[in-house]
Amino acid sequence: MAEAIGLAAIAAIGGRMLASSAESIASVTDFVQRTTGVDITILSETTEDGRYVFRGIEKAVEAPVGRDDAIPYAWSLCSRIHLGESPATVPDTREVPALWQQWLRLKEGLGVDWDILAFCTRDVSLPDGSRFGTLCLHHTAPRAFTADEQALLEVLARLVGEEVA
């Protein structure tokens, strides 16, 4: 069962002096996974050479990717949002053709037998405004994302952007 999302829990992450960016990323992905109860939480880095690197990943389903693995950025679901082809929060990916088609291509490449049917992402921006990557929620069933969950992603994406700078 997902934990309640509270300001005290968010403040605890933001107030901790973390030893490294990797520790900050791991802490955030773990917290988001536990509080939202989604199937997969990813904190990515998009690199200048076009990779989407899984810097943090928590998953409740078997997935063939782990921390520090990478796929081409163009394969990522986030690439559709950045191209303006999909909203950042989608309760049922089948209802957004560009996102659903992107998932089907990625699914084939990953070789999994389940679907990402709900998706919510927020950019992780560095203090200079450039994008480090994304903080994303993936779920294998259609699912609405609450205003609190979306706000949580927004706040934590901003905190991570400050930590990795």
Side-chain angles (χ1 to χ4, degrees):
M1 173 178 264
E3 296 176 17
I5 299 171
L7 290 177
I10 296 169
I13 288 177
R16 254 188 263 165
M17 284 302 284
L18 300 171
S20 68
S21 295
E23 186 177 331
S24 176
I25 289 168
S27 179
V28 166
T29 53
D30 174 66
F31 177 72
V32 171
Q33 182 78 6
R34 285 184 294 109
T35 57
T36 63
V38 296
D39 292 318
I40 303 171
T41 300
I42 295 172
L43 202 152
S44 72
E45 176 184 6
T46 52
T47 63
E48 289 185 20
D49 63 352
R51 293 178 308 130
Y52 180 93
V53 183
F54 298 90
R55 293 297 179 204
I57 184 167
E58 294 291 332
K59 49 194 174 180
V61 296
E62 283 297 317
V65 293
R67 188 167 287 128
D68 295 328
D69 287 342
I71 60 172
Y73 167 73
W75 292 11
S76 73
L77 297 180
C78 293
S79 69
R80 300 304 97 188
I81 285 76
H82 296 140
L83 289 172
E85 297 175 356
S86 173
T89 302
V90 180
D92 190 334
T93 59
R94 296 170 293 189
E95 295 178 3
V96 180
L99 193 60
W100 180 243
Q101 292 305 311
Q102 187 73 357
W103 165 249
L104 294 177
R105 285 188 291 273
L106 181 56
K107 176 183 176 177
E108 183 179 337
L110 294 174
V112 297
D113 62 357
W114 42 264
D115 290 312
I116 296 298
L117 296 179
F119 181 71
C120 184
T121 186
R122 295 298 182 268
D123 285 348
V124 174
S125 298
L126 299 173
D128 68 4
S130 64
R131 184 173 50 238
F132 171 80
T134 57
L135 178 56
C136 306
L137 303 178
H138 306 75
H139 203 62
T140 58
R143 178 191 194 282
F145 294 95
T146 68
D148 283 348
E149 289 171 328
Q150 292 180 61
L152 173 72
L153 281 190
E154 192 73 39
V155 168
L156 292 178
R158 288 181 187 178
L159 286 173
V160 169
E162 294 293 326
E163 286 289 325
V164 299

